Amino acid sequence: MRKTLLLSVFLLLAGGALLAQKAYTFKQAFPEHKAIEKMMVGIEPAKDANLTQQKPMDLTPFIPPYKGTNVVNVIDLGTSANAFGYGYGGGQKSLVAAVPELNIVTNFHRLGGAAGGTGNQLGYDISLNGGLTFTNQIQVYAAASAVENARYPNHGLFNPIGNTDINNVWVQFFAPTLDGSNSNWGGYGFGVGKVADPSVKTKHNQGSNPPIYQYIPDAYEINRQGSVFVVDVNQNWTSGSVVYMGNLIINKGTWDDANNDFVFTQELLDAPVNPAITRPADVKVAFAEDGMTGYISMLADNNSTTVIGASPGYYPVIFKTTDGGETWSDGVGIQLAGPNGLPGIVNQLLSDEQIAALFNPPLPARTEIPYTTAFDHDIVVDANGNLHIGVVIGVVGSDDYSIVSAEYMFAAYDIYTTDGGTTWHAVKLGNIRKFRGTWPTSFTEDNRIQISASPDRNTIFVLWLDTDLEAAEDNTRPNIFARGIRPNQWGTANLTCENGNPVANNVTLFSPGMWQASFHAVSAKSLFADNKYTIPIAYQPIDPSVDPALPVQFKYITNFFYTDNDFCVVGNNEIAAIDALQVSQNFPNPFSGNTNVNITLNKGSQVKMEVYNLTGQKVLSLNYGYRPTGQHTLSLNAEQLPTGVYFYTVEANSQKVTRKMIVR
């Protein structure tokens, strides 16, 4: 009773302090987003069988030759009956997996579409040569009835410690099913398949058993010690509305040598949250290489950190185990903002100019600006047993638990610890232009940030989606962006750079995936060979005008890699701002004949401009030579261009900005 009373007093005091701390108002109604109520709309609608899929635009013939090996190669994987199985609304799962020591890569998904199978089957595409070629549509699970229909799968590859024989490698999968024991959902379908002989497989189905209400797990981890951890949010939907039960469901699988299968048990982990958020926004799990040290991270507000500002936000809440998941600590929040916030966020997320653009005078001090995570994240454990959190961070909006998504005023981060979770650091990896994309039938997805580690776990890679196409109104024309990081205990880092400049890499620029790399998925481990860290990446292109209920073709990027030479030393105070290159809209626009573009450089650079038509074909290339720091006007003559819509890309300081123009 006393503990409850003290907590109540604390919350009342915190609430009073929170109201007193509001020291800002927004300059205008900037775009804001809240967490998606994804769970009850996660079942795809019925579709007309006569509808056909619109073929994605193929840019292969138009790849600029000067980019050379910098342009990634893209190949086909399997297909699915629709786009929903790859997750949405922050629903990225463990969809791509790799065994670096055996050069195996898998892409797991629902079947169906042109390559065969049905949407009520689960299967995978597999490569035995490091992702260069794949065998597709290998079925591992088939529903015997409607209650076994599976969706949104997780999967991993079990390769026992010391094994070098493909005959001992297994695919393990775990998916929610529509058995109706928790509203439409409630069931689990899980099992294994033998990589060397796909005919050898197991299948299990399990319904909810109150007070455990199974739903759609986002968190999955498999280790070489023979353990699988699948973490679900315990939420009761039987009334038609969500009732969060205050805990997480930990499904632990243990390898059984006698039966070549994983045997699962369940336990509940207390994870209370502020009632205002209803339930955690996202949950992830990851373990160290030894299989003993592990972390569960949930994005939530559990009243364990100081709230800055009048509108509270989400933050990572961390549970830790050091005994292989037998016991877990209580959930402890990471303070993002305020005097005790992370310097990499408080001092680095917004420039002085961005603060002035966001807020009315008197401008808030940096320690008075409230920050929140977005609504999905990913985690990995490094070689020292320390947690890394890939997550998007932004300013809390005018509504509680919302994020301001004004262009380039939020960013991708790696939040990490060097001492097992006592202290935390944050390194900004790149500003982001667009936050959320919406397709027909309210099919939505955010930046879908994901994290991977090198086989030795000394190097971390963070990837996210962003639409840098000026004409796009939301995040439905994304490219994949990436950054490698080797942090240290002082919050500085070696980050991947380009020509010595610390910038994020646009993975799909000028490739067949440019502006259509939707719903990407990344393995938890990269490959490593020939001094290259090759990151397994898959995606499913979805045109924003196409119904997601139509079949989809999965794609795989075969050759995106970093080398040790790609890293340079970057401190938090040295990370390049997003305005290293500023590019205006051309004027006049529309135009015939001549038009002008104003640019601003924060350092001298060679300046180029390229113009593309709507099919992605380069139709004009201009080199303006070296321009010093400051403002410059670039002139463009389009007399030889037919009337129509074009995109122009200005390149300087290893950055590119693309905008739309109209020739009449």
Side-chain angles (χ1 to χ4, degrees):
M1 179 64 71
R2 184 184 179 195
K3 183 176 180 180
T4 303
L5 178 60
L6 288 175
L7 178 61
S8 300
V9 172
F10 168 79
L11 290 176
L12 287 172
L13 291 174
L18 184 148
L19 291 174
Q21 287 172 355
K22 183 170 182 179
Y24 66 90
T25 57
F26 288 112
K27 185 165 286 186
Q28 64 184 62
F30 291 100
E32 298 178 9
H33 289 92
K34 302 195 77 170
I36 299 168
E37 286 288 340
K38 62 184 179 180
M39 296 305 184
M40 288 304 289
V41 294
I43 306 170
E44 67 272 14
K47 64 178 185 293
D48 187 340
N50 294 321
L51 291 175
T52 57
Q53 182 182 15
Q54 177 175 319
K55 185 178 180 180
M57 179 173 60
D58 183 10
L59 300 180
T60 304
F62 313 120
I63 294 176
Y66 73 89
K67 292 295 291 183
T69 56
N70 292 328
V71 179
V72 296
N73 183 49
V74 178
I75 62 175
D76 287 347
L77 294 172
T79 61
S80 180
N82 55 52
F84 291 82
Y86 230 45
Y88 86 106
Q92 60 265 39
K93 317 292 186 210
S94 179
L95 298 169
V96 177
V99 177
E101 56 272 18
L102 293 178
N103 229 18
I104 300 174
V105 180
T106 51
N107 175 53
F108 202 90
H109 54 91
R110 291 170 63 190
L111 301 184
T118 73
N120 295 322
Q121 299 170 339
L122 303 177
Y124 58 95
D125 316 313
I126 187 166
S127 171
L128 302 180
N129 57 9
L132 297 179
T133 59
F134 280 80
T135 300
N136 299 329
Q137 305 292 97
I138 299 175
Q139 184 199 112
V140 71
Y141 174 92
S145 63
V147 297
E148 292 183 1
N149 288 349
R151 303 287 189 269
Y152 307 123
N154 281 287
H155 94 297
L157 292 167
F158 174 48
N159 182 39
I161 295 174
N163 177 62
T164 58
D165 185 352
I166 193 175
N167 286 288
N168 297 321
V169 181
W170 297 80
V171 174
Q172 199 285 326
F173 64 92
F174 200 102
T177 62
L178 295 163
D179 79 344
S181 61
N182 188 16
S183 188
N184 295 315
W185 299 89
Y188 290 153
F190 52 91
V192 299
K194 190 172 185 177
V195 167
D197 183 359
S199 67
V200 179
K201 51 192 173 184
T202 67
K203 170 189 168 185
H204 308 278
N205 288 97
Q206 171 183 304
S208 291
N209 185 21
I212 296 178
Y213 294 90
Q214 301 170 169
Y215 224 72
I216 304 174
D218 287 335
Y220 180 96
E221 174 82 338
I222 189 169
N223 61 38
R224 302 192 68 182
Q225 288 76 18
S227 295
V228 177
F229 289 86
V230 185
V231 184
D232 198 356
V233 175
N234 191 16
Q235 48 189 309
N236 180 359
W237 281 90
T238 57
S239 67
S241 300
V242 62
V243 177
Y244 176 52
M245 306 302 290
N247 38 51
L248 305 177
I249 307 168
I250 299 179
N251 301 278
K252 181 179 180 181
T254 303
W255 180 250
D256 180 356
D257 272 321
N259 295 303
N260 288 326
D261 202 357
F262 284 92
V263 178
F264 277 87
T265 58
Q266 284 186 323
E267 65 174 301
L268 293 176
L269 176 65
D270 286 341
V273 300
N274 188 321
I277 67 170
T278 307
R279 62 182 175 215
D282 191 35
V283 178
K284 289 292 184 287
V285 61
F287 274 79
E289 193 68 27
D290 64 5
M292 299 302 292
T293 299
Y295 301 85
I296 294 173
S297 174
M298 71 175 184
L299 300 183
D301 172 11
N302 73 341
N303 300 315
S304 65
T305 72
T306 304
V307 176
I308 302 298
S311 298
Y314 291 91
Y315 47 84
V317 177
I318 307 303
F319 306 82
K320 183 179 179 181
T321 181
T322 55
D323 55 13
E326 292 298 316
T327 60
W328 294 86
S329 70
D330 292 335
V332 178
I334 299 175
Q335 180 78 40
L336 302 180
N340 297 318
L342 302 181
I345 296 174
V346 175
N347 298 331
Q348 301 298 324
L349 178 52
L350 296 176
S351 67
D352 290 342
E353 292 77 12
Q354 288 173 318
I355 292 174
L358 273 175
F359 301 105
N360 284 313
L363 298 179
R366 289 184 174 273
T367 55
E368 296 174 327
I369 299 174
Y371 289 107
T372 179
T373 67
F375 315 117
D376 54 44
H377 71 317
D378 202 6
I379 64 174
V380 73
V381 182
D382 67 19
N384 297 314
N386 289 312
L387 181 65
H388 291 254
I389 306 169
V391 67
V392 171
I393 304 292
V395 176
V396 178
S398 56
D399 290 336
D400 292 355
Y401 306 108
S402 65
I403 185 170
V404 173
S405 56
E407 292 185 359
Y408 300 124
M409 295 193 188
F410 56 108
Y413 269 85
D414 179 16
I415 296 176
Y416 68 94
T417 179
T418 57
D419 54 15
T422 301
T423 57
W424 295 90
H425 307 279
V427 173
K428 186 168 76 169
L429 304 178
N431 292 76
I432 298 174
R433 180 172 181 263
K434 293 295 184 182
F435 182 75
R436 179 169 294 167
T438 302
W439 287 261
T441 67
S442 300
F443 188 68
T444 58
E445 185 59 288
D446 298 344
N447 301 113
R448 201 175 172 97
I449 194 166
Q450 291 171 75
I451 196 166
S452 181
S454 60
D456 63 6
R457 295 181 183 252
N458 284 316
T459 306
I460 307 299
F461 308 101
V462 182
L463 297 90
W464 63 92
L465 295 178
D466 187 20
T467 296
D468 59 347
L469 178 62
E470 182 69 21
E473 296 182 356
D474 65 2
N475 203 9
T476 54
R477 287 290 193 184
N479 280 312
I480 299 171
F481 289 78
R483 199 78 187 270
I485 179 171
R486 291 169 175 165
N488 61 37
Q489 61 183 331
W490 301 285
T492 58
N494 281 17
L495 292 172
T496 48
C497 302
E498 187 173 316
N499 298 327
N501 294 310
V503 294
N505 294 90
N506 188 332
V507 176
T508 45
L509 182 69
F510 299 128
S511 80
M514 185 167 73
W515 300 333
Q516 57 176 342
S518 309
F519 294 78
H520 77 308
V522 178
S523 66
K525 277 191 176 180
S526 77
L527 306 175
F528 183 75
D530 301 324
N531 296 314
K532 298 176 181 177
Y533 302 95
T534 301
I535 305 171
I537 309 170
Y539 66 91
Q540 56 177 23
I542 312 175
D543 187 283
S545 65
V546 173
D547 185 352
L550 298 174
V552 292
Q553 171 79 66
F554 298 106
K555 302 285 186 176
Y556 184 79
I557 296 173
T558 66
N559 62 335
F560 178 70
F561 63 86
Y562 288 115
T563 69
D564 292 334
N565 293 331
D566 290 319
F567 288 81
C568 63
V569 177
V570 178
N572 277 345
N573 293 327
E574 299 167 331
I575 294 178
I578 194 66
D579 57 359
L581 169 64
Q582 296 182 15
V583 178
S584 75
Q585 181 65 50
N586 66 301
F587 60 94
N589 187 48
F591 73 101
S592 59
N594 291 321
T595 190
N596 299 304
V597 176
N598 288 336
I599 67 169
T600 302
L601 304 176
N602 70 354
K603 61 184 293 188
S605 174
Q606 296 288 329
V607 178
K608 298 178 182 179
M609 182 190 296
E610 292 173 339
V611 178
Y612 297 83
N613 61 23
L614 285 176
T615 67
Q617 182 180 14
K618 183 171 66 175
V619 295
L620 193 61
S621 182
L622 301 170
N623 190 332
Y624 295 92
Y626 180 86
R627 298 296 176 98
T629 302
Q631 295 183 344
H632 306 277
T633 299
L634 310 180
S635 295
L636 167 68
N637 186 292
E639 287 184 349
Q640 297 181 0
L641 296 180
T643 299
V645 177
Y646 297 85
F647 300 100
Y648 63 94
T649 297
V650 177
E651 178 179 0
N653 286 322
S654 299
Q655 290 188 323
K656 300 178 179 70
V657 177
T658 300
R659 301 192 186 281
K660 182 175 70 173
M661 67 182 184
I662 301 173
V663 176
R664 62 184 180 188

